[in-house]
Amino acid sequence: VTLRLTELLTAESGWKVVAAAFSEPHDPTMEANPSGPIDGATDAGPLTALLASPAQLQAALAKGTATSVFGTDRGEHAYGDAAARALVKTWSKLALAVEGKPREVHGKGWGFSLAYVNWLKKGDPYPSRMAGLVLGVPDDHGGWSVVAAHFTPL
Amino acid sequence: LVAIALGTVACVAHAGPKPVQRAKQLVDAQVAALEGDEAKLTATFASDAILLVPDR
């Protein structure tokens, strides 16, 4: 089994992991019912919006080789900002929406959002269901630079 | 057998080991713990950590 792994560890937590996504790549499946609420759910903030907007996510990706993006499919992995932008661009026409409340947390120099993301495919009566984790650092303009995004099928 | 073949760990830079070193130490510890030491694996996560894991 191959796992994809994205983790955020912070000084504030004693360098322990505060948010993580583990996934095995496969197509998300259509499901009539949403998943249950996220533990410790919060109001949505600016990072949550990026999970359902490939255009905004693409624009927010941090420059550098450490930036990474995982999609749900086997071939969807990108390392470095150029590859990450190219991958996210392929999602630009997908109909995505955040389902329910996320857990978005901001700390000193870091932030993350974890949320359920629905993908409504043309002709399907129900959305294909995913979860997404986005990790960001504050930029110089009051916004966020995304260092990692990870989508997992549910 | 679990192989973590693709991965990334994001660290916010602070004093101490370089982020890439800290990331490698963390993943090494987690891979070792996956072989049966649940307590060691759990210890790598903050008490209020939120995790997305595969539904298996």
Side-chain angles (χ1 to χ4, degrees), chain B residues 24-42:
Chain B
K24 186 174 186 315
Q25 289 167 4
L26 173 79
V27 174
D28 285 348
Q30 289 179 327
V31 170
L34 280 173
E35 295 177 354
D37 195 332
E38 190 172 328
K40 276 190 178 176
L41 183 60
T42 302

PDB file of all heavy atoms in Angstrom, chain B residues 24-42:
ATOM      1  N   LYS B  24      12.124  14.821   8.419  1.00  0.00           N
ATOM      2  CA  LYS B  24      12.617  13.466   8.204  1.00  0.00           C
ATOM      3  C   LYS B  24      12.564  12.657   9.500  1.00  0.00           C
ATOM      4  O   LYS B  24      12.170  11.496   9.505  1.00  0.00           O
ATOM      5  CB  LYS B  24      14.050  13.511   7.662  1.00  0.00           C
ATOM      6  CG  LYS B  24      14.591  12.146   7.277  1.00  0.00           C
ATOM      7  CD  LYS B  24      15.950  12.234   6.609  1.00  0.00           C
ATOM      8  CE  LYS B  24      16.404  10.853   6.093  1.00  0.00           C
ATOM      9  NZ  LYS B  24      16.213   9.767   7.040  1.00  0.00           N
ATOM     10  N   GLN B  25      12.936  13.314  10.610  1.00  0.00           N
ATOM     11  CA  GLN B  25      12.883  12.614  11.901  1.00  0.00           C
ATOM     12  C   GLN B  25      11.451  12.183  12.223  1.00  0.00           C
ATOM     13  O   GLN B  25      11.221  11.073  12.703  1.00  0.00           O
ATOM     14  CB  GLN B  25      13.409  13.538  13.004  1.00  0.00           C
ATOM     15  CG  GLN B  25      14.910  13.777  12.950  1.00  0.00           C
ATOM     16  CD  GLN B  25      15.351  14.938  13.859  1.00  0.00           C
ATOM     17  OE1 GLN B  25      14.547  15.514  14.584  1.00  0.00           O
ATOM     18  NE2 GLN B  25      16.632  15.273  13.795  1.00  0.00           N
ATOM     19  N   LEU B  26      10.523  13.076  11.941  1.00  0.00           N
ATOM     20  CA  LEU B  26       9.125  12.760  12.236  1.00  0.00           C
ATOM     21  C   LEU B  26       8.651  11.580  11.402  1.00  0.00           C
ATOM     22  O   LEU B  26       8.063  10.628  11.922  1.00  0.00           O
ATOM     23  CB  LEU B  26       8.241  13.970  11.940  1.00  0.00           C
ATOM     24  CG  LEU B  26       6.747  13.655  12.052  1.00  0.00           C
ATOM     25  CD1 LEU B  26       6.309  13.641  13.505  1.00  0.00           C
ATOM     26  CD2 LEU B  26       5.916  14.629  11.261  1.00  0.00           C
ATOM     27  N   VAL B  27       8.879  11.638  10.105  1.00  0.00           N
ATOM     28  CA  VAL B  27       8.380  10.566   9.235  1.00  0.00           C
ATOM     29  C   VAL B  27       9.083   9.253   9.563  1.00  0.00           C
ATOM     30  O   VAL B  27       8.452   8.190   9.590  1.00  0.00           O
ATOM     31  CB  VAL B  27       8.550  10.952   7.750  1.00  0.00           C
ATOM     32  CG1 VAL B  27       8.165   9.787   6.857  1.00  0.00           C
ATOM     33  CG2 VAL B  27       7.674  12.158   7.432  1.00  0.00           C
ATOM     34  N   ASP B  28      10.385   9.304   9.843  1.00  0.00           N
ATOM     35  CA  ASP B  28      11.097   8.083  10.228  1.00  0.00           C
ATOM     36  C   ASP B  28      10.469   7.469  11.478  1.00  0.00           C
ATOM     37  O   ASP B  28      10.258   6.253  11.565  1.00  0.00           O
ATOM     38  CB  ASP B  28      12.574   8.388  10.487  1.00  0.00           C
ATOM     39  CG  ASP B  28      13.363   8.613   9.203  1.00  0.00           C
ATOM     40  OD1 ASP B  28      12.819   8.301   8.119  1.00  0.00           O
ATOM     41  OD2 ASP B  28      14.497   9.109   9.279  1.00  0.00           O
ATOM     42  N   ALA B  29      10.161   8.324  12.459  1.00  0.00           N
ATOM     43  CA  ALA B  29       9.562   7.827  13.700  1.00  0.00           C
ATOM     44  C   ALA B  29       8.185   7.236  13.442  1.00  0.00           C
ATOM     45  O   ALA B  29       7.812   6.197  14.005  1.00  0.00           O
ATOM     46  CB  ALA B  29       9.467   8.958  14.721  1.00  0.00           C
ATOM     47  N   GLN B  30       7.427   7.890  12.574  1.00  0.00           N
ATOM     48  CA  GLN B  30       6.078   7.390  12.305  1.00  0.00           C
ATOM     49  C   GLN B  30       6.117   6.075  11.539  1.00  0.00           C
ATOM     50  O   GLN B  30       5.341   5.164  11.814  1.00  0.00           O
ATOM     51  CB  GLN B  30       5.283   8.442  11.526  1.00  0.00           C
ATOM     52  CG  GLN B  30       4.926   9.648  12.385  1.00  0.00           C
ATOM     53  CD  GLN B  30       4.154  10.696  11.620  1.00  0.00           C
ATOM     54  OE1 GLN B  30       4.368  10.883  10.429  1.00  0.00           O
ATOM     55  NE2 GLN B  30       3.282  11.406  12.296  1.00  0.00           N
ATOM     56  N   VAL B  31       7.015   5.968  10.579  1.00  0.00           N
ATOM     57  CA  VAL B  31       7.111   4.717   9.811  1.00  0.00           C
ATOM     58  C   VAL B  31       7.520   3.576  10.734  1.00  0.00           C
ATOM     59  O   VAL B  31       6.959   2.474  10.681  1.00  0.00           O
ATOM     60  CB  VAL B  31       8.103   4.883   8.642  1.00  0.00           C
ATOM     61  CG1 VAL B  31       8.405   3.531   8.002  1.00  0.00           C
ATOM     62  CG2 VAL B  31       7.530   5.831   7.598  1.00  0.00           C
ATOM     63  N   ALA B  32       8.494   3.855  11.628  1.00  0.00           N
ATOM     64  CA  ALA B  32       8.913   2.819  12.573  1.00  0.00           C
ATOM     65  C   ALA B  32       7.746   2.422  13.478  1.00  0.00           C
ATOM     66  O   ALA B  32       7.530   1.233  13.747  1.00  0.00           O
ATOM     67  CB  ALA B  32      10.085   3.314  13.400  1.00  0.00           C
ATOM     68  N   ALA B  33       6.980   3.410  13.918  1.00  0.00           N
ATOM     69  CA  ALA B  33       5.878   3.128  14.831  1.00  0.00           C
ATOM     70  C   ALA B  33       4.738   2.390  14.135  1.00  0.00           C
ATOM     71  O   ALA B  33       3.985   1.644  14.770  1.00  0.00           O
ATOM     72  CB  ALA B  33       5.363   4.434  15.435  1.00  0.00           C
ATOM     73  N   LEU B  34       4.621   2.572  12.838  1.00  0.00           N
ATOM     74  CA  LEU B  34       3.561   1.880  12.098  1.00  0.00           C
ATOM     75  C   LEU B  34       3.714   0.366  12.172  1.00  0.00           C
ATOM     76  O   LEU B  34       2.775  -0.379  11.940  1.00  0.00           O
ATOM     77  CB  LEU B  34       3.581   2.309  10.624  1.00  0.00           C
ATOM     78  CG  LEU B  34       2.923   3.643  10.298  1.00  0.00           C
ATOM     79  CD1 LEU B  34       3.172   4.004   8.842  1.00  0.00           C
ATOM     80  CD2 LEU B  34       1.430   3.589  10.561  1.00  0.00           C
ATOM     81  N   GLU B  35       4.896  -0.072  12.503  1.00  0.00           N
ATOM     82  CA  GLU B  35       5.126  -1.518  12.568  1.00  0.00           C
ATOM     83  C   GLU B  35       4.652  -2.111  13.881  1.00  0.00           C
ATOM     84  O   GLU B  35       4.963  -3.255  14.189  1.00  0.00           O
ATOM     85  CB  GLU B  35       6.607  -1.811  12.320  1.00  0.00           C
ATOM     86  CG  GLU B  35       7.018  -1.424  10.903  1.00  0.00           C
ATOM     87  CD  GLU B  35       8.500  -1.632  10.629  1.00  0.00           C
ATOM     88  OE1 GLU B  35       9.226  -1.974  11.573  1.00  0.00           O
ATOM     89  OE2 GLU B  35       8.900  -1.456   9.470  1.00  0.00           O
ATOM     90  N   GLY B  36       3.911  -1.343  14.655  1.00  0.00           N
ATOM     91  CA  GLY B  36       3.287  -1.956  15.814  1.00  0.00           C
ATOM     92  C   GLY B  36       3.305  -1.162  17.101  1.00  0.00           C
ATOM     93  O   GLY B  36       2.681  -1.566  18.076  1.00  0.00           O
ATOM     94  N   ASP B  37       3.991  -0.043  17.130  1.00  0.00           N
ATOM     95  CA  ASP B  37       4.045   0.709  18.383  1.00  0.00           C
ATOM     96  C   ASP B  37       3.076   1.887  18.308  1.00  0.00           C
ATOM     97  O   ASP B  37       3.447   3.004  17.947  1.00  0.00           O
ATOM     98  CB  ASP B  37       5.466   1.201  18.649  1.00  0.00           C
ATOM     99  CG  ASP B  37       5.638   1.670  20.090  1.00  0.00           C
ATOM    100  OD1 ASP B  37       4.630   2.104  20.689  1.00  0.00           O
ATOM    101  OD2 ASP B  37       6.761   1.612  20.600  1.00  0.00           O
ATOM    102  N   GLU B  38       1.843   1.596  18.658  1.00  0.00           N
ATOM    103  CA  GLU B  38       0.805   2.616  18.527  1.00  0.00           C
ATOM    104  C   GLU B  38       1.067   3.817  19.438  1.00  0.00           C
ATOM    105  O   GLU B  38       0.784   4.954  19.082  1.00  0.00           O
ATOM    106  CB  GLU B  38      -0.559   1.997  18.854  1.00  0.00           C
ATOM    107  CG  GLU B  38      -1.715   2.908  18.508  1.00  0.00           C
ATOM    108  CD  GLU B  38      -3.068   2.216  18.657  1.00  0.00           C
ATOM    109  OE1 GLU B  38      -3.137   0.996  18.432  1.00  0.00           O
ATOM    110  OE2 GLU B  38      -4.014   2.903  19.006  1.00  0.00           O
ATOM    111  N   ALA B  39       1.625   3.551  20.612  1.00  0.00           N
ATOM    112  CA  ALA B  39       1.882   4.644  21.553  1.00  0.00           C
ATOM    113  C   ALA B  39       2.896   5.624  20.969  1.00  0.00           C
ATOM    114  O   ALA B  39       2.742   6.844  21.088  1.00  0.00           O
ATOM    115  CB  ALA B  39       2.376   4.099  22.880  1.00  0.00           C
ATOM    116  N   LYS B  40       3.908   5.099  20.336  1.00  0.00           N
ATOM    117  CA  LYS B  40       4.915   5.974  19.738  1.00  0.00           C
ATOM    118  C   LYS B  40       4.311   6.780  18.591  1.00  0.00           C
ATOM    119  O   LYS B  40       4.648   7.950  18.397  1.00  0.00           O
ATOM    120  CB  LYS B  40       6.096   5.147  19.220  1.00  0.00           C
ATOM    121  CG  LYS B  40       7.129   4.815  20.278  1.00  0.00           C
ATOM    122  CD  LYS B  40       8.365   4.211  19.637  1.00  0.00           C
ATOM    123  CE  LYS B  40       9.419   3.918  20.684  1.00  0.00           C
ATOM    124  NZ  LYS B  40      10.597   3.244  20.105  1.00  0.00           N
ATOM    125  N   LEU B  41       3.443   6.135  17.834  1.00  0.00           N
ATOM    126  CA  LEU B  41       2.799   6.849  16.729  1.00  0.00           C
ATOM    127  C   LEU B  41       1.914   7.964  17.277  1.00  0.00           C
ATOM    128  O   LEU B  41       1.975   9.108  16.823  1.00  0.00           O
ATOM    129  CB  LEU B  41       1.975   5.870  15.888  1.00  0.00           C
ATOM    130  CG  LEU B  41       1.295   6.453  14.656  1.00  0.00           C
ATOM    131  CD1 LEU B  41       2.309   7.035  13.685  1.00  0.00           C
ATOM    132  CD2 LEU B  41       0.446   5.398  13.953  1.00  0.00           C
ATOM    133  N   THR B  42       1.126   7.630  18.277  1.00  0.00           N
ATOM    134  CA  THR B  42       0.223   8.622  18.871  1.00  0.00           C
ATOM    135  C   THR B  42       1.002   9.800  19.441  1.00  0.00           C
ATOM    136  O   THR B  42       0.555  10.948  19.375  1.00  0.00           O
ATOM    137  CB  THR B  42      -0.625   7.963  19.976  1.00  0.00           C
ATOM    138  OG1 THR B  42      -1.346   6.876  19.395  1.00  0.00           O
ATOM    139  CG2 THR B  42      -1.603   8.952  20.580  1.00  0.00           C
TER     140      THR B  42
END
